[in-house]
Amino acid sequence: MLDWKRVNSANATANPPKMTVTWNYRPGDGSAQQAGPPYTSYNGVWGVSTLTPTLRDKFTDADGDKVNGTFQVYDAATNTPIATPAGSGMLVSDFVTPGSWATVQVPAGQLVDGKTYKFRTNAYDGAHYNLNWSPWREFVVETAAAGKPTTLKAGDAYSISDPKIVKDPAKVQEVVDVFKRDGNLEALGIKPTSGPSAPQTAAASSTRAAWERTYTTPSTKFVRGSKPADQYEYINDPDECSAADDADNAPGWIKNRFSYCQETLVLMPAVKCGLFPPGCYLHGEFVATQVLIGKGKIGGLDGSEYTRHADFDFNLDVHWVGGDFAKPGAKIEALLPCEGSWQAGNASAEPEEACYSGLFDGREASPLQWEVDGDTTFDLWSSTPTLPDIAVGEQVAVGKFTPKLDFTLPGYSQIISSEGEEGEIRFDSAAYNGWAKLGSVFPDATPSLRYDKSDTSDLGLPTPYTGVEAVARHIDEARQDPDATYPTKTNKNLPGASPLNPLHRIVPAASASSQARYDRNEAIRTRDCNENTPGAPGAGKDCDEYPFHSSAEGAARFEFEGAEFKDDFSVRYIDSKENQEAGRRLGAWYQSDRILDWEAFTITIGD
């Protein structure tokens, strides 16, 4: 059945027909795609300084209708959409008046610093969409410019060991304040010590070279040649290290053969550099004083005859944590890497076993956790392929260690590091050492034994005491006026007072050549101890010699090194008990402080 409808004609007097048509123009294309802040582009690419940037565009509408924008965001490298509530990387703006900015904000967690993204737009007027997407526009996420402008570069760091700064709390605070204010230390004339801004050629150091430095052990530590109750006398804590007068050495303070420390002020900037706009910016600061205390050891690890070891205490006294260093996820790992090498004559030793980390290899924690508890420990080991044996020599390995802080910060693509000063440890296996065949010492200072002129003998009961006054006076007077000594010689050279002109121990048991030299020193000394010798021979007297016959500089030196050294020694008759007591103390010190064959040492004379 057909349907039909009747309508009046246009000429009807009532209800004439009419037709109503509603039309709508589609909104125009987006004309001003931008990303920001700071809404700045370079070569057509926008740079944004935040991980949640704002995207915006302006749309037209011929009808004057309000419009909104749909923004679609993709990873430019992978051409895949970011995750959004609407899906497919799409974000929808509110309705705005045509010609005004339609804006959306990229949600957190979707963008990665340093990556490039792209977006496009489409307009909607409430009835119709524009039929086309706009062209893609790219933007780069660079949060660098959100920080404080700085002249530092990414990777720069300061490690300051100057005692005028490190030991003065007011100076430390000044450094911290300037660093926080300026983003560098240029106002104090201090350059980064590592990183791209560090001077290419290090300035001349005002500290003394290793071979100029010394430490002194009083001979009273070895009365009657006995082993002291505490052979180590370790540095107790960071305060003792900081208070040391001799801590002006960049490689650290050598308190004694077994006790070492270094103290440095660490300033680590969090620097990001970018192109939008070009420059580098400070995003955080970390400042702390780090102290490393080393403890050499007598004997092998847990009684081992193969593995030598040393322990280290590390303290990080945090002065300031700011910016990215205080963010969740920030970490600091304290490390003590060691680069070891073997002394000549150890061909079968493995290079990687010269110096390596033992059971305690540091700690990783957040900067704020380090601020609460700044302590950790390290140990370094060194393993030999054979047992201590005279036939194979001393099996000496040297380790160069450097305390290191590795910083891992959220939003940074690489670890940034700060290093302290380089220190040195020696591991040795000396079969001739009767007290301990294995051990480790800090060799970066010339060892010195002190005899005191005030160390007089006391025959009182119930316990007589034998001092070394006579030996101390002999050495002191001989070195002050060598030409007045016996045997007589003009321009006589008597070494051993200074690290610049030291003595060198010879150990007869170490080798046939050392035995021969030791014996010839004794033979020449005996020959020149006669009725013409000062002090005159007699009951209760011994003929004392200096330099000692246990040193390469002894009486027979000229037979091995040339005639110019003939008679470069002094002999004098002195009290036999004091002479023998001085010898016992010297021998005990050789053993305790692990003075090896041909190792340099000095003799200090005290009042």
Side-chain angles (χ1 to χ4, degrees), residues 498-551:
S498 163
L500 301 176
N501 189 21
L503 304 176
H504 297 82
R505 184 192 180 194
I506 51 173
V507 183
S511 65
S513 60
S514 291
Q515 180 72 63
R517 189 153 183 161
Y518 181 92
D519 291 343
R520 288 305 300 157
N521 280 345
E522 179 62 14
I524 300 297
R525 180 198 72 85
T526 301
R527 184 194 69 188
D528 283 299
C529 289
N530 51 52
E531 65 278 1
N532 297 318
T533 302
K541 291 185 176 182
D542 281 350
C543 186
D544 181 40
E545 86 282 4
Y546 181 82
F548 314 123
H549 67 275
S550 60
S551 73

Side-chain angles (χ1 to χ4, degrees), residues 32 43 225 242 258 276 291 295 326 341 371 396 403 416 429 433 437 481 483 500 518 550-551:
N43 295 323
S242 181
F258 303 100
F276 300 96
V291 174
K295 300 176 179 180
S341 60
E371 189 172 15
V396 173
I416 52 178
S429 298
N433 189 310
K437 294 180 181 180
D481 190 2
D483 289 2
L500 301 176
Y518 181 92
S550 60
S551 73

Side-chain angles (χ1 to χ4, degrees), residues 312-549:
F312 294 82
D313 294 333
F314 181 84
N315 175 263
L316 198 62
D317 181 13
V318 178
H319 304 300
W320 173 255
V321 179
D324 287 353
F325 290 99
K327 288 183 177 180
K331 296 289 184 182
I332 303 175
E333 184 177 14
L335 304 165
L336 189 65
C338 183
E339 183 177 344
S341 60
W342 290 95
Q343 198 174 76
N346 292 278
S348 63
E350 297 293 338
E352 64 271 16
E353 294 194 337
C355 185
Y356 58 96
S357 294
L359 296 177
F360 304 100
D361 54 2
R363 169 185 170 211
E364 184 181 63
S366 73
L368 297 178
Q369 288 171 324
W370 278 106
E371 189 172 15
V372 174
D373 177 8
D375 294 328
T376 192
T377 57
F378 308 102
D379 58 352
L380 296 178
W381 295 2
S382 174
S383 298
T384 63
T386 61
L387 293 170
D389 190 335
I390 292 293
V392 299
E394 293 157 336
Q395 299 186 84
V396 173
V398 173
K400 300 293 183 68
F401 58 85
T402 305
K404 182 181 179 184
L405 298 176
D406 279 350
F407 296 79
T408 303
L409 300 180
Y412 290 70
S413 60
Q414 61 184 10
I415 293 173
I416 52 178
S417 299
S418 168
E419 293 187 351
E421 304 291 353
E422 183 181 80
E424 181 176 315
I425 187 164
R426 187 194 77 194
F427 302 98
D428 67 80
S429 298
Y432 54 74
N433 189 310
W435 284 15
K437 294 180 181 180
L438 281 70
S440 61
V441 299
F442 297 98
D444 213 13
T446 304
S448 185
L449 181 68
R450 192 185 77 225
Y451 291 131
D452 295 327
K453 291 181 287 185
S454 59
D455 187 5
T456 58
S457 298
D458 183 354
L459 301 180
L461 298 176
T463 306
Y465 172 81
T466 302
V468 294
E469 175 192 10
V471 171
R473 292 192 180 279
H474 174 202
I475 297 173
D476 186 46
E477 292 168 7
R479 292 197 305 210
Q480 289 193 41
D481 190 2
D483 289 2
T485 63
Y486 185 84
T488 59
K489 179 184 178 181
T490 302
N491 297 323
K492 181 182 290 189
N493 173 39
L494 296 179
S498 163
L500 301 176
N501 189 21
L503 304 176
H504 297 82
R505 184 192 180 194
I506 51 173
V507 183
S511 65
S513 60
S514 291
Q515 180 72 63
R517 189 153 183 161
Y518 181 92
D519 291 343
R520 288 305 300 157
N521 280 345
E522 179 62 14
I524 300 297
R525 180 198 72 85
T526 301
R527 184 194 69 188
D528 283 299
C529 289
N530 51 52
E531 65 278 1
N532 297 318
T533 302
K541 291 185 176 182
D542 281 350
C543 186
D544 181 40
E545 86 282 4
Y546 181 82
F548 314 123
H549 67 275

Side-chain angles (χ1 to χ4, degrees), residues 33-180:
Q33 294 91 20
Q34 295 185 3
Y39 303 105
T40 304
S41 66
Y42 298 86
N43 295 323
V45 179
W46 296 93
V48 301
S49 59
T50 173
L51 294 173
T52 57
T54 296
L55 309 179
R56 65 189 187 185
D57 200 354
K58 291 182 177 181
F59 304 102
T60 60
D61 188 272
D63 305 307
D65 296 331
K66 288 189 174 183
V67 293
N68 70 12
T70 298
F71 294 71
Q72 190 173 40
V73 185
Y74 270 50
D75 183 317
T78 62
N79 199 39
T80 56
I82 67 170
T84 58
S88 300
M90 290 191 289
L91 301 165
V92 181
S93 77
D94 293 335
F95 281 91
V96 298
T97 302
S100 299
W101 288 114
T103 65
V104 295
Q105 186 173 28
V106 179
Q110 297 305 307
L111 306 185
V112 176
D113 199 8
K115 292 193 68 173
T116 301
Y117 298 86
K118 62 183 181 179
F119 73 100
R120 59 184 180 177
T121 62
N122 184 272
Y124 175 64
D125 64 2
H128 294 95
Y129 287 92
N130 186 292
L131 292 177
N132 300 302
W133 286 97
S134 71
W136 289 103
R137 294 299 302 271
E138 290 188 342
F139 67 92
V140 175
V141 180
E142 281 195 347
T143 62
K148 179 189 300 182
T150 180
T151 57
L152 298 178
K153 307 298 182 185
D156 284 343
Y158 298 88
S159 182
I160 302 172
S161 59
D162 184 346
K164 298 183 185 68
I165 296 174
V166 178
K167 293 180 181 299
D168 186 340
K171 285 289 186 182
V172 170
Q173 188 59 53
E174 181 184 14
V175 167
V176 173
D177 292 343
V178 170
F179 190 48
K180 290 163 59 179

